[in-house]
Amino acid sequence: MSDPVSSDPRQVWPQEFAALYRDKGYWRGETFGEMLRARAAEHPDRLAVVDATHRWSYAELLAMAERAAQGWMGLGLCPGDRVIVQIPNVAAFFPAVFGLFLAGLVPVYALPAHRQTELAHFAARAGAKALVIVDRHEGFDYRPLALEVQAGAPGLAHVVVIGEPGPHLDFDALPAAGRPLPQVDPASVAFLQISGGSTGLSKLIPRTHDDYIYSFRASAGICGLGPDSIYMAALPVAHNFPMSSPGVMGALYAGARVVMCPNPSADTAFRLIAAERVTITGVVPPVALLWMQAAAKTPHDISSLQVLQVGGAKFIPEAAARVRPTLGCTLQQVFGMAEGLVNYTRLDDPEETIIGTQGRAISPDDEVLVLDDDGNPVPDGLPGHLLTRGPYTIRAYHNDPAANARSFTDDGFYRTGDIVKRLPGGYLVVQGRAGDHINRAGEKISAEEIEDHLLAHQGIFDAAVVSIPDAFLGERSCAFVIPAAGATLRAPEVKSFMRTRGLAEFKVPDQVVFVDEFQTTAVGKISRNTLRAQLRARFLDQGKTP
Ligand code: OOB
């Protein structure tokens, strides 16, 4: 018997909510495996997934996923077991992941950028039994990394490689279990996704078949996906945005075609848009800025693109207004979070709504509260804290009581940490964040996590990491460092040290500023949040530039 995915009773929706969401037809008792089976039965020969070297129909994808499911079970994995999936934007993502779903196994989606420290944390927190990787991608070899991870994670019994396996197991050669596939409960946790979060290490987000399928089925409708749509995944597919808003899963639900783009550079993406006649894709604001710049000079015909979705971080109205003139397509702003709630501007909204807001929620039963610091509702048009509850927003993180106590109210609302204004009609305008994380080009970095790594340096007495506005990235990270007595430190040394910590490269501070002390006006101890706010203000007052 495998241990349960979660023992936290808060993780499941209270009975009355589950009944409501089923009655309203949001939760339809469908699983990921059944979804793929249904599409393969309806249109077996239609192309489902394409990358540089593969073109697979729905029937082929299902056959490969069924074979993979047998392979996963053949390893001795049991329904409910967690498997870390670190696969970049390649077609092979789908047979591997749908194989896990069919076998009742639970993917834990890591980003290609994650390294030993992050993967070890996921392995421990999820109790993962296996890790699946590709051999190499974009010049990086994932096999030595997997060895390192395995060395520090005793429960991680298997590493499976798509491609040349090296010292690990070959995905294509896993022996079949030869048993029937299990029945999978649609109310069970289908996968765990990674939260950026403000405090400490990433939290794991448990999403059920029922709730997640609702979110991307409804998203596919809102984003106008049909069988003729061609969706390109330009951001790493492990992210909730390209996964489900409507993302690759919404596209497969709609019987559309998915194109896997290995990186979001304008050259790679435009080449694929032209070659595959892509109709819709989603990017973060810095990528949108690069694409708008590149569009004038590109040799590629990108006129098939009908919708460019932009989300993950604030897209300023001045940039938003340039999407249609430069790229010739409709902008859709997407404001979402891996914990659940996703807002979209609608494709037929007036231009000023598309440019000036971050959209409105997917579901009529998304409960959206905008509250002041004391928890009282604020009138429309004024900023407040965004809290939410609904048919696809989690009620708790996986195996993390402390984070749950902080992030959820007693009546099950998720405290998003975002400051928003609500406009009539439910449209939201994001104003900023209450918490301390850095939203660096859509990647969320916890200040606390980075500070903990900095403090591991012997030459550092204290450190505080803050976000600094950045014209391109939206925000960049700045580490204020007090050197230890007698230590002589330079910024490159601090950055090199951070690179030895086994972290995703995007977590290395963009800037390091040395200070003698953290000037504080308050007496005694002040909270880290206050300290960071003071440092940010001091930095901005001085008008420092990188
Ligand atoms: C998406 O998901 P996460 O989990 O990586 O990050 C969520 C946070 C939000 O709480 C907010 O702080 C920020 O990212 N955010 C935005 C935004 N979209 C996300 N801030 C301003 N404007 C936007 N449009 O980032 C995500 C998940 C699903 C769909 C889209 C984005």
Side-chain angles (χ1 to χ4, degrees), residues 286-308:
V287 172
L289 296 177
L290 286 176
W291 286 14
M292 290 195 288
Q293 225 169 48
K297 295 173 296 231
T298 183
H300 305 294
D301 171 12
I302 58 166
S303 61
S304 60
L305 195 65
Q306 295 164 6
V307 178
L308 179 71

Side-chain angles (χ1 to χ4, degrees), residues 48-238:
V49 181
V50 168
D51 71 8
T53 42
H54 306 95
R55 306 182 80 76
W56 292 328
S57 69
Y58 277 88
E60 287 171 322
L61 178 56
L62 176 62
M64 286 185 293
E66 283 175 336
R67 205 173 62 225
Q70 284 293 336
W72 293 126
M73 292 198 307
L75 286 175
L77 299 173
C78 299
D81 282 348
R82 273 76 69 196
V83 176
I84 301 176
V85 174
Q86 190 183 35
I87 305 181
N89 286 12
V90 291
F93 178 85
F94 295 96
V97 160
F98 275 97
L100 292 172
F101 290 141
L102 286 168
L105 298 166
V106 178
V108 182
Y109 292 127
L111 293 171
H114 284 140
R115 293 295 175 258
Q116 200 268 338
T117 303
E118 287 113 350
L119 294 166
H121 166 64
F122 304 150
R125 190 48 70 90
K129 299 230 169 107
L131 163 66
V132 54
I133 56 172
V134 293
D135 49 5
R136 356 175 90 253
H137 184 73
E138 302 275 300
F140 184 78
D141 191 336
Y142 285 88
R143 293 163 296 187
L145 171 61
L147 272 183
E148 249 183 278
V149 175
Q150 207 174 15
L156 204 63
H158 317 281
V159 173
V160 177
V161 182
I162 297 168
E164 281 299 317
H168 307 293
L169 300 169
D170 182 349
F171 176 72
D172 287 327
L174 296 178
R179 293 194 305 275
L181 300 178
Q183 275 292 322
V184 176
D185 179 357
S188 67
V189 170
F191 62 86
L192 298 169
Q193 209 158 26
I194 308 304
S195 138
S198 302
T199 42
L201 300 168
S202 294
K203 293 162 298 256
L204 299 181
I205 297 171
R207 301 291 300 257
T208 64
H209 296 264
D210 267 334
D211 91 76
Y212 207 65
I213 290 179
Y214 168 52
S215 79
F216 62 71
R217 184 180 70 235
S219 294
I222 290 168
C223 304
L225 290 193
D228 296 328
S229 302
I230 302 182
Y231 175 86
M232 184 174 79
L235 299 174
V237 70

Side-chain angles (χ1 to χ4, degrees), residues 194-197 205 239-242 244-245 284-285 310-315 333-344 357-358 386 414 416-419 430-433 437 439 442-444:
I194 308 304
S195 138
I205 297 171
H239 265 295
N240 197 43
F241 179 17
S244 70
S245 306
V284 288
V310 181
K314 176 84 183 224
F315 199 35
Q333 295 217 38
V334 189
F335 163 42
M337 51 211 72
E339 285 81 355
L341 181 73
V342 180
N343 304 273
Y344 296 99
T357 81
Q358 278 65 58
L386 171 65
Y414 168 55
T416 67
D418 292 317
I419 307 291
V430 181
Q431 304 285 297
R433 292 252 339 147
H437 78 197
N439 187 339
E443 298 291 4
K444 318 305 182 302

